[in-house]
Structures are given as structure tokens and as C-alpha cells.
């Protein structure tokens, strides 16, 4: 049972990452749209750029954690190593 809850937790974390990537794309779109204007709103650009950078750093950290988890060898004595099901 614990394996299923851990797997569900990992899936939820990946879904959160996916949502954050969507927010990153929205921030980038807002910045590009603002830059295309003749008179840009500097404060909006600064806020969106800061949000973009923070989100990218967060996604990078979360994806790194997911990759580290997936590359860990299974613990000794688990059902998959001992042949038990």
C-alpha cells in the first residue's frame, strides 16, 4: 500500500511541475507581448521576469529531485529485490 501512496505523491509532484511550466510559458508570453509594445511597462516586465526566473529555478530543482529519486537503486530487502510479491 505504501508503494501506491508514494507513487501517487510522485505523480502529484509531476503534475505540479507541469502546472508550473505552464505558468512559465505564460510569464514568457506576457514579457514578449509587453516588449512588442511601443511603450513598455518596466514594472510589469520586472515582475514577470522575476516570476519567470523563480519558476524556472523551482522547476529545475523539482525535476532534479525527481530524477535523483528515479536513479536511486532500490532499497535492499524490498519486495522487488527479494522476489516476494
Amino acid at each position: 500500500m505504501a508503494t501506491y501512496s508514494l507513487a501517487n505523491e510522485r505523480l502529484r509532484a509531476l503534475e505540479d511541475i507541469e502546472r508550473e511550466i505552464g505558468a512559465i510559458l505564460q510569464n514568457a508570453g506576457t514579457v514578449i507581448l509587453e516588449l512588442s509594445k511601443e511603450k513598455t511597462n518596466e514594472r510589469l516586465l520586472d515582475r514577470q521576469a522575476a516570476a519567470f526566473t523563480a519558476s524556472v529555478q523551482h522547476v529545475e530543482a523539482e525535476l532534479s529531485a525527481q530524477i535523483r529519486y528515479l536513479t536511486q537503486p532500490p532499497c535492499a530487502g524490498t519486495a522487488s529485490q527479494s522476489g516476494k510479491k
Side-chain angles (χ1 to χ4, degrees):
M1 284 289 186
T3 303
Y4 291 121
S5 65
L6 181 61
N8 285 336
E9 182 181 323
R10 292 286 170 185
L11 286 173
R12 276 193 297 276
L14 288 172
E15 289 170 352
D16 291 344
I17 292 168
E18 183 179 15
R19 278 190 289 279
E20 186 128 16
I21 290 170
I24 288 169
L25 293 173
Q26 284 183 320
N27 287 336
T30 301
V31 168
I32 290 170
L33 182 64
E34 190 62 29
L35 287 172
S36 71
K37 296 178 181 176
E38 257 184 65
K39 185 172 179 174
T40 60
N41 181 339
E42 294 294 325
R43 254 191 284 163
L44 175 65
L45 285 174
D46 288 343
R47 271 196 321 268
Q48 292 296 320
F52 176 85
T53 302
S55 292
V56 167
Q57 289 172 346
H58 182 254
V59 165
E60 181 180 15
E62 289 298 316
L63 285 175
S64 293
Q66 292 290 329
I67 291 168
R68 276 192 307 279
Y69 171 78
L70 291 172
T71 57
Q72 289 177 351
C75 296
T78 61
S80 62
Q81 278 196 339
S82 64
K84 297 178 184 174
K85 292 186 182 179

